[in-house]
Amino acid sequence: DTDLLTSVLTYHVIADEVLAEAVMEMDGAEVETINGATVTISIDGDTVMINDATVITPDVMASNGVIQVIDTVLLPPSDEE
């Protein structure tokens, strides 16, 4: 359904452009996504996690921002669907 797809897609986007260097300083931070729910950033050495997803390719520059490629799909909390 369109609402569910929109919720999942917007759960992967934040309104700010955040490069990997800045993310490395955000251990434990909760960041609001554009769908209104939050994701949690955790750092373990050089490994960056967003919720349960691992960043596998940082700082992919795009014309409309920067992409931090992760290894799985993030699902918004069930009460946000």
Side-chain angles (χ1 to χ4, degrees):
D1 111 353
T2 302
D3 290 338
L4 177 58
L5 179 58
T6 299
S7 178
V8 170
L9 292 175
T10 57
Y11 190 58
H12 287 76
V13 180
I14 64 170
D16 295 325
E17 183 176 293
V18 182
L19 297 174
E21 182 178 312
V23 171
M24 294 303 290
E25 305 297 322
M26 299 175 71
D27 189 28
E30 290 189 5
V31 179
E32 186 174 351
T33 65
I34 63 171
N35 89 345
T38 60
V39 293
T40 302
I41 297 172
S42 57
I43 312 296
D44 184 12
D46 289 335
T47 301
V48 176
M49 303 285 295
I50 301 173
N51 291 354
D52 294 328
T54 302
V55 175
I56 57 173
T57 306
D59 293 349
V60 176
M61 302 308 291
S63 62
N64 61 346
V66 63
I67 301 167
Q68 307 300 336
V69 178
I70 56 177
D71 66 351
T72 192
V73 174
L74 298 173
L75 296 176
S78 60
D79 61 349
E80 297 293 324
E81 295 180 354

